[in-house]
Structures are given as structure tokens and as C-alpha cells.
Amino acid sequence: MKILVKVPATTANLGPGFDALGLALNLWNETEFIAAEDRRIIVAIEGEGQGRLPTNAENLIVQTALQIYNLVKKPCTGLHIHCRNRIPIGSGLGSSSAALLTGMLGANALLGAPFTEEEILRLAIETEGHPDNVAPAMLGGLVASIVHDGRVISLKLPAKANRSPIHATVVLPDFDFPTVQARAILPKQVDRKDAIYNISRAVLVTEALRTGNLDLLGKAMSDMLHQPYRIPLIPGAQAAMEAARQAGAAAVALSGAGPSLIAFTAKQDPAIGIAMKRAFEQAGLSARIFELEPSYEGAEVTIV
Ligand code: HSE
């Protein structure tokens, strides 16, 4: 049996929605799983992460696939995995959440779906530690999450972009900024005024995306809880944000924990990505540009 799992990239936080908001983007990893009887686990990687990601038992897709086999107490008699990766790794575009979900969804399908999609989502969020990439990767679109009585509730919000796409330009500098480091540098406590600053804006970011109001998005998409600590550590990031606005972007934020930045516009405008890339280059970093749209579809599993 062959299973095809498709999982989209995601941008988390969206400025003020730290650890709560995330949006799926139309950049997909596609992974084939073949159940084998040869007792071997084989991983082949094409595209992003090729030659860099482990292809042995340390591979995140393998680990999370085996987690599912262990949970249902079934032996894995062999697994051949072929990854076609388009989501850059360590970028702030949810590559690790995509890998987590891919492994879980692939193994779940091979085992005849012992877990519901909701259960897989909960397992993936528990494994990742925060919901804001995993939930939109699974559900698609704009997703808000809360933790209630120790359980995550993730809700896909209606968004106008479903009908009239908002364009996203992501610029990824060649800079190593692991999420674990980007989280470790954040203060444990925040000022009340900073909390209010973010709470009020996070609500309006969702409203701006719901109605497609880019002027409102530009006013609401700023943050006091994580960006002021992270952006100074990424060479050229502050200048790239300013360059994006000057080139006409309505709103710009750190994508997830970075190092990539995401700028929103009504229509695709190559000048925005070029201006941001130039700012990173002036700080000594090469950078890649991704022209993307929100994806209102989430992860897909197909039995081929
Ligand atoms: N909300 C998380 C953070 C996203 O900003 O640390 C990381 O993927």
C-alpha cells in the first residue's frame, strides 16, 4: 500500500499572536509512504533539506511515524519514505511541524486510521509544544489556538482571503536561528502594557485577515512580546522590515520564530522581496524570496 501525505508551510504568530495564531501557505511538502516487509526503514529526501536532514532513525518523520506504531502497539515491519520537500528547514515556515504531522498522518493511514484527525492534531501539538504551526498545517487557513484545562482548542477562522487572495512575500536570510534559541532569549515575564499591546492587536489581525482590510493589518501587525528580542539578533532584519514597508508592503512580521520575514500585500509585487533581500545582503547575508498565498486547504492524505 502506498500513502501520499501533503502538508503545507505555515507562518506562526502573525506579529502579535505569539504562540496563538498561524496561517497556512501554499508551499507543500509531499511524502510517499510504502509499508514494507523487509524490516528496513529507508528515507529518501529530494528538495529542501536534501543532504542535510537525517535519513536514519533520527529523522523526525520516522520518529513520529514510529510513535504512532508504538501507540497502537503494532510492530513496524518496514517503511520506505520518499520526501519531496519544498518548505525550507529552520526557516520560520513550519518545516518541523510539517514533518511531525507527515510522520503521524502517514503511519496512521498505513495502520488503517486508528486515530481521528483531531487525535493526530492533539498528538502533534503535544510533541511540538505549541500549536501555532501544527494547527494551521493540519486545518489550513487562519487558525487561532488556546489551551483550556490543559487541552488545546484550535479553531479555523473565516478569512476573506479565501475569495480574494492576500499575497505573502517571504524572505529567508541564510542565517541559523534555531527555534529553541529564539525561544530561550525571550523574557519569562512581560509588562502589562506589552500584554495589552499584543492582545488588542491580535484580535484586529484576525479581523483584518477576515475582512481583507490590509490597512488595518498594517496597523495591527506589530508586537511587543517576541519581535523586539529576536529581530536585533538577525542581521539586516530590522532594515528588511523597513525596506518592505517603503516598497509598499501593507504589513510585515517575523515569520514564526524567524529568521524569515513575511510581508503582506493585496497583489504580488516583486519589488518588495527584492528590497528585503537587498537589506539582508547589505548586512552580509544572502537571502531567498518565496512569493506565496494563504492556503485554505490543510494536510491531505491519499491512498495511492
Ligand atoms: N510561536 C512560536 C515562536 C513559533 O514564536 O517561538 C515557532 O515556530
Side-chain angles (χ1 to χ4, degrees):
M1 179 164 50
K2 198 195 268 187
I3 305 287
L4 177 65
V5 179
K6 287 180 65 187
V7 181
T10 46
T11 183
N13 301 329
L14 293 162
F18 180 69
D19 275 3
L21 295 181
L23 179 69
L25 298 166
N26 67 339
L27 184 70
W28 297 79
N29 280 359
E30 296 180 3
T31 310
E32 275 172 18
F33 291 77
I34 299 174
E37 301 292 336
D38 58 3
R39 311 224 152 262
R40 294 169 70 203
I41 294 183
I42 300 173
V43 181
I45 299 174
E46 269 179 61
E48 299 290 338
Q50 185 177 354
R52 217 175 131 194
L53 288 170
T55 53
N56 56 16
E58 282 172 34
N59 183 284
L60 198 49
I61 294 178
V62 172
Q63 288 181 351
T64 53
L66 294 181
Q67 192 181 336
I68 297 296
Y69 279 88
N70 287 339
L71 282 170
V72 294
K73 301 190 173 36
K74 291 252 173 81
C76 176
T77 54
L79 201 52
H80 298 185
I81 300 172
H82 189 127
C83 306
R84 282 185 205 89
N85 288 348
R86 299 194 184 89
I87 308 173
I89 58 174
S91 59
L93 287 172
S95 64
S96 72
S97 293
L100 275 172
L101 271 180
T102 296
M104 290 183 179
L105 289 169
N108 193 48
L110 286 174
L111 287 162
F115 296 105
T116 63
E117 282 193 1
E118 203 181 323
E119 287 167 334
I120 292 288
L121 177 58
R122 185 165 45 78
L123 279 171
I125 290 171
E126 275 167 18
T127 307
E128 176 81 338
H130 47 88
D132 48 339
N133 288 107
V134 175
M138 184 74 171
L139 303 173
L142 174 64
V143 177
S145 300
I146 59 167
V147 181
H148 175 73
D149 282 348
R151 292 192 64 147
V152 176
I153 300 175
S154 294
L155 188 72
K156 181 170 175 173
L157 302 172
K160 164 130 178 165
N162 204 1
R163 295 179 292 278
S164 133
I166 287 176
H167 189 79
T169 301
V170 173
V171 179
L172 171 62
D174 184 11
F175 182 69
D176 196 25
F177 194 46
T179 299
V180 55
Q181 181 193 339
R183 292 181 81 78
I185 52 128
L186 300 180
K188 297 261 178 288
Q189 298 195 323
V190 299
D191 272 1
R192 184 191 304 188
K193 69 170 174 13
D194 292 343
I196 294 167
Y197 185 100
N198 273 54
I199 292 164
S200 50
R201 280 168 178 75
V203 174
L204 293 193
V205 162
T206 62
E207 182 62 7
L209 289 171
R210 188 181 73 78
T211 57
N213 184 340
L214 284 169
D215 182 47
L216 179 62
L217 192 67
K219 294 185 174 104
M221 192 171 269
S222 56
D223 161 79
M224 289 303 289
L225 298 185
H226 68 111
Q227 294 190 171
Y229 306 97
R230 290 169 164 175
I231 285 170
L233 302 181
I234 306 169
Q238 186 64 51
M241 289 180 90
E242 278 152 28
R245 286 191 201 99
Q246 272 172 22
V252 58
L254 196 60
S255 183
S260 60
L261 298 176
I262 186 161
F264 291 94
T265 41
K267 283 196 253 154
Q268 183 176 344
D269 178 357
I272 292 170
I274 291 168
M276 294 165 81
K277 181 172 154 67
R278 195 174 298 131
F280 281 121
E281 285 168 351
Q282 279 168 357
L285 297 179
S286 60
R288 290 197 281 159
I289 303 171
F290 297 81
E291 302 287 1
L292 304 173
E293 318 284 345
S295 167
Y296 289 88
E297 307 301 324
E300 271 175 44
V301 179
T302 318
I303 300 172
V304 192

